[in-house]
Amino acid sequence: MKVLVVGGAGYIGSHTTYELIRAGHEVVVLDNLSTGRQHNVHPQTSFYWGDIRHKSDITRVLEAEHSTGKPIDVAMHFAAKLIVPQSVSQPLAYYENNVEGLRTMLEALVECNVRNVVFSSTAAVYGEPDAPECSEDGPTKPINPYGETKLACEKMIQWVAAAHGLNYCILRYFNVAGADESLEIGLDKDYLTWLIPLIMQAALGIRDKLFIYGNDYNTPDGTCIRDYIHVTDLAQAHVLGAEYILKNQQSLLCNLGSGSGYSVKEVLDAALELFPVPFEYAARRPGDPDILIANIDRARKLLGWEPTRNLRTILKSDYDFRRKLAESRRG
Ligand code: UFG
């Protein structure tokens, strides 16, 4: 199949591109390089610079690829803003980029007759769930603009699919981390709020220490429990998801996590077995639920997918990538 990866210079878009190419598919990347980096774009892809908020940037790519005699089969959307605290302080920027960007992209796809879409969604659509394990049919109650915009996007895709005969694969990510085993790509953003990147920054001396936000949660060791998934396992699920909708001409929405939870303290302890990390306990961060774990039965059943990389592999690959990046920056 021939896949358009919108946001293919970013973290998850680039890992998905690598897995698509490894699986023998053809990839075209569209990215405005606002947060993505040119060096993340796989050399075997056709790269177009463009912004999804401008319809002509998308139709130009779809028409150019159509004229080669091999049109785009599936479009994947990764071009979103995704930092929760930033979404709280800049909600309009999130609605513009995430919701308006997707609306424009869908309009271009419908006009150019591309009928299969894979969309990156998030566990943030669940908000603070009543039960620790989240299933796709459970209630969606986002508690920040990031989650709200992703939920709005999910609904938009579903309405457009019904009206225009699209097939969609919506994937709700839990806590993604790690780097490709080649160490050619990984998460190379500077402004980070997530646990695993911050552990790495503390370990590499990029920040003084890691703060553990709260140890009085309703969990065995008092720190929050989350579901961590290796970015390559996640990327492979996108390949299967795209193949699934194309082959079956059916849509699906599913969670992507590991299906098991680790507390902040357990993640830190696993990291400490690999390298030293200075840390300190601090006050709770607002809005953190005690436990969030994905139920991944649907992805297993429909996609035949199984995450295979454990927490140690996630941490080791993330550390190795970041150390390589820090060394290359030092020159
Ligand atoms: N944490 C710390 N110290 C830090 C950073 C995080 O103790 O320096 C803790 C948090 O308090 C939380 C846990 O580590 O208990 C995980 O926090 P992250 O910020 O890494 O991830 P979240 O689970 O809060 O949220 C992330 C994304 C969301 C996404 C969600 C999916 O920010 O967009 O994963 O589960 F929806």
Side-chain angles (χ1 to χ4, degrees):
M1 66 189 171
K2 188 171 191 177
V3 183
L4 172 64
V5 178
V6 178
Y11 176 48
I12 298 173
S14 64
H15 284 80
T16 300
T17 299
Y18 270 59
E19 292 312 311
L20 283 163
I21 287 172
R22 285 173 183 148
H25 299 299
E26 207 175 319
V27 183
V28 174
V29 169
L30 174 71
D31 203 298
N32 69 0
L33 301 178
S34 60
T35 56
R37 309 271 162 96
Q38 180 83 53
H39 63 248
N40 289 339
V41 178
H42 195 291
Q44 284 171 34
T45 62
S46 309
F47 176 75
Y48 293 82
W49 185 93
D51 193 311
I52 54 162
R53 291 166 298 180
H54 304 141
K55 192 165 77 177
S56 57
D57 285 7
I58 309 167
T59 51
R60 182 173 57 95
V61 178
L62 298 175
E63 283 163 7
E65 293 302 321
H66 194 271
S67 69
T68 65
K70 208 167 170 216
I72 299 290
D73 297 303
V74 182
M76 295 189 174
H77 178 285
F78 297 96
K81 286 179 169 285
L82 77 176
I83 298 168
V84 170
Q86 192 183 53
S87 80
V88 175
S89 60
Q90 303 170 27
L92 292 173
Y94 274 67
Y95 276 87
E96 193 219 1
N97 187 88
N98 294 2
V99 181
E100 177 56 16
L102 177 71
R103 194 202 66 76
T104 307
M105 177 172 152
L106 289 175
E107 200 172 85
L109 295 180
V110 169
E111 273 180 29
C112 296
N113 209 22
V114 176
R115 303 276 164 195
N116 299 287
V117 186
V118 176
F119 180 71
S120 307
S121 190
T122 169
V125 299
Y126 294 116
E128 296 183 23
D130 303 331
E133 195 185 72
C134 300
S135 295
E136 294 86 350
D137 295 330
T140 46
K141 294 179 285 186
I143 56 164
N144 51 57
Y146 169 60
E148 286 286 6
T149 60
K150 285 290 184 175
L151 187 58
C153 288
E154 287 191 1
K155 290 182 179 169
M156 188 189 335
I157 292 172
Q158 289 167 327
W159 286 115
V160 173
H164 297 285
L166 256 62
N167 304 304
Y168 62 80
C169 171
I170 294 172
L171 301 169
R172 290 179 177 164
Y173 310 161
F174 283 65
N175 297 56
V176 188
D180 187 75
E181 61 181 8
S182 69
L183 302 185
E184 283 168 16
I185 50 171
L187 180 65
D188 58 0
K189 295 188 191 346
D190 294 326
Y191 177 62
L192 300 164
T193 58
W194 300 315
L195 177 65
I196 291 181
L198 293 185
I199 288 178
M200 301 309 157
Q201 290 189 339
L204 293 165
I206 299 166
R207 64 176 56 229
D208 291 346
K209 61 180 87 150
L210 174 83
F211 290 104
I212 298 183
Y213 297 137
N215 60 352
D216 56 352
Y217 286 92
N218 189 18
T219 60
D221 66 20
T223 65
C224 294
I225 294 178
R226 293 289 179 275
D227 182 328
Y228 297 89
I229 175 164
H230 193 291
V231 64
T232 302
D233 282 328
L234 187 93
Q236 288 171 345
H238 288 70
V239 180
L240 295 171
E243 290 170 349
Y244 175 93
I245 59 172
L246 201 56
K247 178 166 165 250
N248 300 307
Q249 291 295 299
Q250 259 174 28
S251 296
L252 85 156
L253 178 158
C254 58
N255 287 337
L256 293 179
S258 67
S260 41
Y262 290 94
S263 72
V264 174
K265 186 68 175 53
E266 285 171 330
V267 175
L268 178 63
D269 286 344
L272 287 167
E273 281 177 21
L274 297 167
F275 38 78
V277 184
F279 70 94
E280 190 178 305
Y281 284 96
R284 283 184 177 211
R285 191 176 71 173
D288 281 334
D290 298 311
I291 305 178
L292 268 182
I293 300 174
N295 178 312
I296 56 169
D297 291 348
R298 192 182 287 179
R300 280 191 172 117
K301 188 167 157 228
L302 294 181
L303 302 181
W305 171 77
E306 188 66 40
T308 59
R309 294 159 182 87
N310 62 19
L311 182 62
R312 187 186 160 86
T313 307
I314 294 174
L315 292 165
K316 173 117 181 42
S317 67
D318 211 296
Y319 179 77
D320 289 345
F321 173 77
R322 260 162 233 283
R323 198 177 48 183
K324 187 180 152 203
L325 191 69
E327 279 165 9
S328 73
R329 282 182 180 164
R330 274 198 293 269

